[in-house]
């Protein structure tokens, strides 16, 4: 039985491999993330096929960032695909433009706070203001939600604190950087187990490699679903 709290990242090169993986996962998975890595490999076509032909939910991870008019136009175009979630950078002016672009549709705008692959040294290199990474994440989350985001993307290590924000009431928290117990970290630095993420108030967890690199991806997905419910 699937559980849409689990979003599987289809981090494969093209639509054919994406469909093949989705076929192997079958009814075990009901929600998929399609990101920039597959954009030139038919990502939008795959999103449309999985949604329209297979009844799957779709998280389009584009992390849009541009001037307001461009973001608004891009979101308006993407909203026509009847997708579920779309990421934009959490800067308030970007979020406001995205909210305008999706007006009248069911698309949820998810704001990126601080990427889960970054730590304080990375923020220093990017000239992000000094301070505790966690506090900066919380501040960005609050500002994005005030600007009209339907939810935020955040590390599981900040999820509980974001859930406690007044601005987060009724909003979604989606968490990458989730790894089943014993799984390799890959390029993620700020991680948690599925059970811990759910306990901290996360609505959806995003898992990629631990599922699609498994010998039996459907079994790996079912194991994570079971782990979420512990």
């Amino acid at each position: 039985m699937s559980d849409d709290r689990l979003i599987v990242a289809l981090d494969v090169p093209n639509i054919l491999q994406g469909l093949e993986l989705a076929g192997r996962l079958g009814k075990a998975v009901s929600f998929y993330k399609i990101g920039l890595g597959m954009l030139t490999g038919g990502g939008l076509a795959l999103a449309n096929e999985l949604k329209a032909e297979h009844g799957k939910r779709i998280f389009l991870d584009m992390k849009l960032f541009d001037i307001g008019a461009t973001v608004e136009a891009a979101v308006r175009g993407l909203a026509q695909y009847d997708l579920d979630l779309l990421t934009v950078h959490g800067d308030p002016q970007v979020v406001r433009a995205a909210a305008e672009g999706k007006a009248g549709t069911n698309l949820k705008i998810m704001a990126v706070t601080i990427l889960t692959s970054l730590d304080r040294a990375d923020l220093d290199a990017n000239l992000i203001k000094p301070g505790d990474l966690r506090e900066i994440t919380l501040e960005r989350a609050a500002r994005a939600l005030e600007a009209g985001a339907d939810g935020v993307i955040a590390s599981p290590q900040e999820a509980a604190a974001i859930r406690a924000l007044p601005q987060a009431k009724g909003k979604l928290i989606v968490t990458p950087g989730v790894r089943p117990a014993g799984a390799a970290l890959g390029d993620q630095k700020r991680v948690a187990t599925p059970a811990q993420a759910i306990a901290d108030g996360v609505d959806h967890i995003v898992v990629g490699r631990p599922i699609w690199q498994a010998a039996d991806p459907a079994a790996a997905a079912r194991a994570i679903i079971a782990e979420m419910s512990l």
Side-chain angles (χ1 to χ4, degrees):
M1 191 69 179
S2 64
D3 183 332
D4 74 358
R5 292 179 299 173
L6 171 64
I7 301 176
V8 173
L10 289 176
D11 295 331
V12 292
N14 57 58
I15 186 172
L16 294 178
Q17 291 184 42
L19 286 171
E20 191 271 337
L21 177 56
R24 293 179 69 191
L25 288 165
K27 294 181 179 180
V29 173
S30 58
F31 211 151
Y32 287 102
K33 179 176 86 75
I34 296 172
L36 281 172
M38 202 200 284
L39 189 61
T40 58
L44 286 177
L46 175 61
N48 194 49
E49 182 163 345
L50 288 173
K51 181 83 177 186
E53 303 296 328
H54 301 280
K56 304 298 185 182
R57 300 184 70 192
I58 300 296
F59 167 18
L60 195 63
D61 189 17
M62 295 288 106
K63 298 185 180 72
L64 299 177
F65 180 80
D66 212 312
I67 64 171
T70 301
V71 170
E72 183 178 343
V75 172
R76 185 174 294 114
L78 291 169
Q80 298 174 29
Y81 286 83
D82 190 30
L83 307 177
D84 296 271
L85 308 178
L86 171 69
T87 49
V88 304
H89 277 264
D91 305 65
Q93 76 277 10
V94 175
V95 172
R96 282 191 290 268
E100 287 291 326
K102 69 103 178 188
T105 74
N106 293 321
L107 180 66
K108 302 291 188 186
I109 299 299
M110 304 299 298
V112 175
T113 53
I114 301 293
L115 295 175
T116 55
S117 59
L118 303 183
D119 57 19
R120 183 62 251 183
D122 296 312
L123 298 193
D124 291 342
N126 294 342
L127 303 181
I128 304 297
K129 72 175 187 177
D132 180 68
L133 185 149
R134 182 174 177 276
E135 293 304 315
I136 292 172
T137 299
L138 291 177
E139 186 176 352
R140 281 181 62 80
R143 291 186 181 189
L145 292 169
E146 288 168 357
D150 297 295
V152 297
I153 310 294
S155 155
Q157 296 184 12
E158 286 92 42
I162 290 174
R163 178 53 70 206
L165 291 171
Q167 297 91 336
K169 185 175 182 180
K171 304 290 187 175
L172 297 172
I173 299 176
V174 176
T175 300
V178 173
R179 291 288 182 268
L185 297 185
D187 57 4
Q188 301 290 355
K189 294 178 180 176
R190 290 150 48 224
V191 302
T193 64
Q196 185 61 53
I198 295 299
D200 286 342
V202 169
D203 296 283
H204 301 280
I205 65 171
V206 180
V207 183
R209 278 163 289 196
I211 289 177
W212 56 257
Q213 287 183 346
D216 184 342
R222 286 191 291 267
I224 289 172
I225 289 170
E227 196 176 331
M228 282 193 299
S229 303
L230 291 176

